[in-house]
Amino acid sequence: MRTNLPRRRLLLAAAGFPLSNLWALWPAAAGAQSAWPSKPVRIVVPFPAAGTTDILARALAPELQRAFGQPFVVENKPGAGGNVGSADVAKSANDGHHLLMGTVGTHGINVSLYPKLPYDPIKDFTPVTLVAGVPNVLVVNPALAQRHNIQSVADLIRYAKGNPGRLNMASSGNGTSIHLAGELFKSMTGTFMVHFPYRGSGPALIDLMGGNVDLMFDNLPSSMPHIKSGKLKALAVTSATRSSALPDVPTVEEAGGPPLKGYEASSWFGLLAPAGTPMDIVIRIQQEAAKAMGTPALKERLQAQGAIPSGITSAEFARHIEAESRKWAAVVKVSGAKVD
């Protein structure tokens, strides 16, 4: 809150206001901005624990708690490809105490995939900041890869074409970037794999490592520890360029050849508040989030997991969401993806 005290003193003196009483106004004015947060702030993650959305929320929450002196509590509310948790925040009080860790699925894809959403991704939210962008990574069960000699994307395409319907493709839910990355792959390669939607990356990864499903186009941060431990085999990343976190893993386009020219399906995650949340609160959260993600410790931690920290302004994030909605509408149309 900016206040020009010399100018105000002149105006108040001209109006006959005793200058000795001027400073009595200052604590009230200063307190108007510091009233928030007056209680714990919840960050709703619309997916189960252990997925990338959850990982990023739990990495940022302690930083915001330190900055504002109130708990920032991560609350998992999964269901319907992120729609349940997103609708919950959309209908919450716009007092700055309710935030959503939204995703490319909840705010870029679902509007084109679902015939009816329980929220409007544009009208029902005020964007706060983009937290991070991440590539997805095509991972397969190592035992499956060994059994069928699938060591590359080309091998995967060969096997899938020779065995239509034999491969099971897990996702974190209908409409997520993980789902759409797989559907786009199937569309461009002319392959058929059975889609198994889960209620988040965490449960899907458990079944993938256990051999109950065969492959997944997972967000890189949630798969990274399992790739490093050898429990998952990474075939390719879905971004246009290689990830610095996995420099030896090619892109899908590199590894797949001509059928996959132009393939790209990356993810992003960001904080949003209910529509009508005061902009001074939105700006304060954005500034502190950007400051936190710019610190060497958190920045290096996120980059090591394959995430690219952001922290852009509310207006920039709003433009990003609008552009992503247009992009993914085209992907949904081309891939022929449907809610199943």
Side-chain angles (χ1 to χ4, degrees):
M1 182 174 184
R2 298 179 61 187
T3 305
N4 191 329
L5 282 177
R7 176 178 171 80
R8 289 193 65 190
R9 289 183 67 171
L10 289 173
L11 292 174
L12 290 167
F17 191 90
L19 290 182
S20 60
N21 293 341
L22 175 61
W23 290 104
L25 298 178
W26 182 245
Q33 186 178 22
S34 62
W36 177 90
S38 60
K39 59 183 179 181
V41 178
R42 66 178 187 137
I43 302 177
V44 172
V45 169
F47 297 98
T52 298
T53 320
D54 185 72
I55 290 170
L56 292 174
R58 293 184 188 278
L60 186 57
E63 305 297 327
L64 296 177
Q65 180 169 318
R66 275 191 286 272
F68 294 113
Q70 283 281 2
F72 276 67
V73 181
V74 175
E75 179 181 333
N76 298 89
K77 290 186 74 72
N83 292 345
V84 173
S86 299
D88 177 88
V89 175
K91 296 169 185 175
S92 296
N94 56 5
D95 58 3
H97 293 94
H98 306 273
L99 299 172
L100 173 74
M101 184 62 84
T103 71
V104 62
T106 62
H107 282 75
I109 297 174
N110 288 3
V111 68
S112 297
L113 193 68
Y114 286 81
K116 187 176 181 180
L117 284 181
Y119 62 93
D120 187 307
I122 303 297
K123 294 179 181 179
D124 291 343
F125 293 90
T126 297
V128 178
T129 189
L130 178 66
V131 173
V134 303
N136 289 358
V137 58
L138 170 53
V139 285
V140 298
N141 178 280
L144 170 92
Q146 185 174 14
R147 190 162 60 248
H148 299 296
N149 193 27
I150 299 174
Q151 305 302 318
S152 67
V153 172
D155 290 339
L156 177 65
I157 295 171
R158 170 190 51 77
Y159 181 82
K161 283 191 171 183
N163 300 273
R166 290 287 300 275
L167 290 174
N168 296 325
M169 180 186 78
S171 84
S172 56
N174 285 313
T176 60
S177 70
I178 294 171
H179 172 204
L180 265 292
E183 293 294 343
L184 185 61
F185 181 91
K186 288 160 59 178
S187 173
M188 293 178 73
T189 58
T191 54
F192 173 63
M193 296 179 280
V194 181
H195 175 219
F196 277 72
Y198 286 75
R199 288 170 62 87
S201 284
L205 286 169
I206 291 172
D207 269 8
L208 178 57
M209 289 184 287
N212 296 319
V213 287
D214 303 320
L215 61 95
M216 186 174 174
F217 289 77
D218 191 32
N219 301 142
L220 183 51
S222 46
S223 274
M224 181 65 83
H226 309 303
I227 294 169
K228 289 183 175 179
S229 70
K231 293 178 181 178
L232 291 176
K233 180 177 180 62
L235 297 184
V237 291
T238 67
S239 47
T241 58
R242 295 192 182 199
S243 169
S244 60
L246 288 175
D248 295 331
V249 176
T251 68
V252 169
E253 181 177 0
E254 278 183 289
L260 288 162
K261 183 174 177 56
Y263 180 97
E264 182 182 2
S266 297
S267 302
W268 52 260
F269 307 82
L271 288 176
L272 301 106
T277 299
M279 281 308 297
D280 65 316
I281 295 175
V282 170
I283 291 170
R284 290 172 66 191
I285 298 172
Q286 179 270 321
Q287 290 176 340
E288 291 298 337
K291 187 187 300 181
M293 289 183 288
T295 59
L298 186 56
K299 186 176 181 179
E300 290 171 12
R301 175 182 167 191
L302 295 180
Q303 288 177 335
Q305 294 174 320
I308 304 169
S310 181
I312 57 177
T313 67
S314 173
E316 290 170 328
F317 189 24
R319 290 193 290 271
H320 179 76
I321 291 171
E322 291 173 1
E324 285 289 288
S325 295
R326 292 191 295 271
K327 168 190 169 180
W328 285 99
V331 172
V332 171
K333 184 176 180 179
V334 168
S335 69
K338 295 180 176 60
V339 175
D340 49 15

